[in-house]
Amino acid sequence: MSAEKDVPALEEEQTTDPRKVSVKPRETNLKVLANDVAERESLSAWLTICAAGFGLISDGYQNNLMTMSNVIFKTLYPEDYTSAVSTRVSNALLVGAVIGQIFVGLMCDRAGRKVALVATTLLIVLGATLGTAAHGANGSAQGLFWFLTFARGITGIGVGGEYPASSTSASEAANEKTQKNRGPVFIMVTNFVLSFGGPLAVSVFLIVLSAAGENHLQTVWRACFGVGIFLPLTVLVFRLRMLSSKLYRKGAIKRGVPYGLVIKRYWHPLIGTCGAWFLYDFVTFPNGVFSGTIISSVIHDGDIKKTAEWQLLLGAIALPGVFVGAWLCNRLGRRNTMILGFSGYLVFGLTIGLAYDKITNIVPLFVVFYGLMQSFGNLGPGDMLGLTSSESYATPVRGTCYGLSAAIGKTGAAVGTQAFTPIQNNLGKRWTFIIAAICGITGVLVTYFFVPDMTGIDLADEDAKFMKYIAKNGWQGEVGEDDDKALIGSYASEEALEEKI
């Protein structure tokens, strides 16, 4: 009897004495680990959103860096910096961006968002460093511009890669943390910072110009290029520590992507996002790159500082459109907001183009109307194209389709930049604005017929539909990564498939 009483007493002692307690340590460790992972996931989602903003601000800066640099180079090298050389140096970023958007878009789907983001950051730093240190052999001006072309091309690959890598990551993280406000949050960390890059680049230029003086323009442009080295470094540490989104961990297809089925399912929205992006960049990019040259020609004395001040005002007028678009995207819907923005090209493009000779005699009025045209571009396609391209496609191919859409857009930018000077020389400066109006009405039609409106829809819903679609069409393979992997096959019943996804 005593032995029987001793056993429970011993068990009680083991469960109450803290020195001897053993309360399923494996379960406790798993709970602690799960809580730690949950905290890291929550923090990582917010860091991903913020890092997208800080990363893309360097893109905006690089996109607008040549605006005032073109004016400086024209002043320093009036005979060597011809329109052909200016176009080549400006287009180098665009050609690199097209390459980056396609290949990094594929990389962020196949290798992961984190790998793509770190790669683009390092490429921008490398390209900006080479651009800052650019020299021609024996002081050759032509050698300098070929060096800059090469450096800007490398920068462009990184800048282009940022679009699909940052935007898809930000969209997925925003969907995870604040689905109802996914659109406004996405816009504020993508198009807002990209648009802010214009005023930022001009502000940096004015500060450096004031400090160095107009007699040291070599120092001015190199200092402005040098600032572009440090902007992407601000996010490198965060990107090295980030986690992939839940959507990507559950929905990634890293091998055997059924691209034929992807095109069959998404050809309609691809026409919309690719076509609208081509039209938008065809208008907005050359008008951004050459706006300093345009304003300089309107200001008859061609003063560099005065040109920069008007350029800063132009950027400041264009910026509020971003906020209006962010406010409207949930209220009007993505498609209607984009149509409204393209309509602004039609109205202001025709107004400036048809009254060009008169309106350019009143510089403030010209700059205000020019700024309003760009503001409507920001409000509509500027805000909505990245948003619709990140929402219209399933997670396994989001980076690829986004990158393709952005690459077609940058192709439009390259074509627009290449055609800008011939249009001015052969048709007259007014036609750059009339053609912008034509692109505006074309953009309205493309948006209305081809761009889907995903306002308020959970991105996971499209993922589920996509998985069912490829399974029913005979695709078999692994979906997800690490512990979230699942096998999807044509044999799967709808109920079993729903459990896996």
Side-chain angles (χ1 to χ4, degrees):
M1 294 289 292
S2 61
E4 291 176 357
K5 290 179 180 178
D6 288 340
V7 173
L10 181 60
E11 289 178 353
E12 182 178 356
E13 182 182 11
Q14 287 178 330
T15 56
T16 55
D17 189 341
R19 292 171 298 176
K20 301 178 181 178
V21 71
S22 178
V23 188
K24 298 181 180 177
R26 179 175 174 79
E27 289 186 11
T28 303
N29 291 338
L30 287 173
K31 286 181 180 179
V32 172
L33 183 62
N35 290 335
D36 181 57
V37 170
E39 288 179 8
R40 282 191 65 199
E41 284 179 343
S42 179
L43 180 61
S44 179
W46 289 117
L47 286 176
T48 299
I49 293 170
C50 294
F54 282 101
L56 287 169
I57 199 170
S58 70
D59 283 29
Y61 183 86
Q62 292 293 343
N63 284 337
N64 292 275
L65 185 57
M66 291 305 297
T67 300
M68 293 309 301
S69 297
N70 279 328
V71 178
I72 287 183
F73 290 141
K74 191 65 180 173
T75 303
L76 289 173
Y77 308 98
E79 294 182 2
D80 294 294
Y81 201 65
T82 62
S83 60
V85 174
S86 171
T87 301
R88 187 186 73 221
V89 175
S90 299
N91 262 356
L93 186 83
L94 300 177
V95 174
V98 171
I99 296 170
Q101 284 162 341
I102 292 173
F103 284 99
V104 177
L106 286 166
M107 183 193 294
C108 72
D109 282 341
R110 305 296 289 274
R113 313 304 196 215
K114 179 177 178 177
V115 174
L117 287 166
V118 172
T120 58
T121 303
L122 295 176
L123 282 168
I124 294 173
V125 171
L126 174 61
T129 303
L130 290 173
T132 305
H135 277 86
N138 301 317
S140 164
Q142 289 301 317
L144 167 65
F145 295 132
W146 277 113
F147 197 134
L148 274 176
T149 301
F150 175 74
R152 293 292 286 169
I154 293 176
T155 307
I157 295 173
V159 167
E162 277 283 341
Y163 280 71
S166 286
S167 298
T168 54
S169 300
S171 180
E172 290 163 3
N175 188 77
E176 183 179 322
K177 303 306 297 182
T178 173
Q179 184 187 323
K180 289 183 179 179
N181 294 312
R182 181 181 66 230
V185 169
F186 177 88
I187 290 167
M188 297 311 295
V189 298
T190 54
N191 194 47
F192 168 67
V193 292
L194 283 168
S195 301
F196 182 70
L200 176 63
V202 179
S203 298
V204 169
F205 172 82
L206 281 170
I207 292 169
V208 175
L209 181 66
S210 299
E214 294 191 21
N215 293 325
H216 299 88
L217 293 180
Q218 288 279 2
T219 303
V220 172
W221 77 259
R222 290 189 188 277
C224 292
F225 270 68
V227 171
I229 300 171
F230 298 101
L231 290 174
L233 288 175
T234 58
V235 296
L236 183 58
V237 174
F238 298 109
R239 289 180 169 179
L240 288 169
R241 295 175 60 85
M242 68 174 280
L243 299 174
S244 296
S245 67
K246 289 181 180 177
L247 281 173
Y248 182 78
R249 292 203 305 274
K250 291 182 178 180
I253 299 178
K254 294 191 172 184
R255 287 181 295 275
V257 181
Y259 289 114
L261 293 175
V262 171
I263 294 172
K264 187 177 179 182
R265 179 172 177 82
Y266 291 122
W267 68 270
H268 192 268
L270 274 171
I271 290 175
T273 55
C274 291
W277 214 323
F278 181 94
L279 293 165
Y280 170 65
D281 275 7
F282 180 87
V283 173
T284 194
F285 204 92
N287 275 288
V289 170
F290 295 115
S291 57
T293 308
I294 293 171
I295 292 173
S296 180
S297 67
V298 171
I299 301 171
H300 300 293
D301 58 7
D303 181 75
I304 293 177
K305 189 172 183 180
K306 191 180 292 184
T307 299
E309 289 169 348
W310 283 115
Q311 181 67 38
L312 184 60
L313 176 62
L314 177 67
I317 295 171
L319 200 57
V322 178
F323 299 100
V324 177
W327 183 72
L328 289 175
C329 71
N330 283 344
R331 291 166 174 79
L332 284 183
R334 299 0 179 185
R335 185 193 292 120
N336 291 336
T337 304
M338 199 190 302
I339 289 173
L340 178 63
F342 271 125
S343 300
Y345 278 172
L346 176 63
V347 173
F348 290 102
L350 280 180
T351 301
I352 297 172
L354 296 177
Y356 187 83
D357 293 333
K358 293 182 179 179
I359 201 170
T360 51
N361 289 326
I362 310 170
V363 177
L365 183 63
F366 170 72
V367 171
V368 167
F369 272 60
Y370 196 3
L372 286 172
M373 187 181 85
Q374 294 189 347
S375 188
F376 268 83
N378 282 332
L379 179 159
D383 277 357
M384 297 303 119
L385 277 169
L387 183 56
T388 55
S389 297
S390 68
E391 292 178 339
S392 300
Y393 311 104
T395 297
V397 293
R398 180 171 293 121
T400 303
C401 293
Y402 188 106
L404 178 61
S405 300
I408 296 298
K410 278 294 178 284
T411 303
V415 173
T417 304
Q418 194 73 36
F420 190 85
T421 302
I423 289 171
Q424 282 193 331
N425 293 340
N426 296 309
L427 297 178
K429 293 179 180 179
R430 69 170 69 244
W431 274 94
T432 59
F433 294 96
I434 294 173
I435 289 173
I438 295 170
C439 289
I441 191 63
T442 309
V444 168
L445 296 173
V446 170
T447 302
Y448 181 79
F449 288 108
F450 293 102
V451 176
D453 197 332
M454 302 286 285
T455 306
I457 297 175
D458 190 343
L459 298 182
D461 292 347
E462 178 57 28
D463 285 4
K465 292 175 183 177
F466 178 74
M467 294 302 175
K468 290 178 183 177
Y469 164 76
I470 60 176
K472 287 179 179 178
N473 281 275
W475 183 82
Q476 297 185 37
E478 285 187 339
V479 173
E481 59 176 10
D482 302 328
D483 295 335
D484 293 306
K485 277 186 178 177
L487 184 67
I488 303 297
S490 58
Y491 60 85
S493 68
E494 193 165 304
E495 294 77 11
L497 187 56
E498 285 175 355
E499 288 179 7
K500 290 175 182 176
I501 60 178

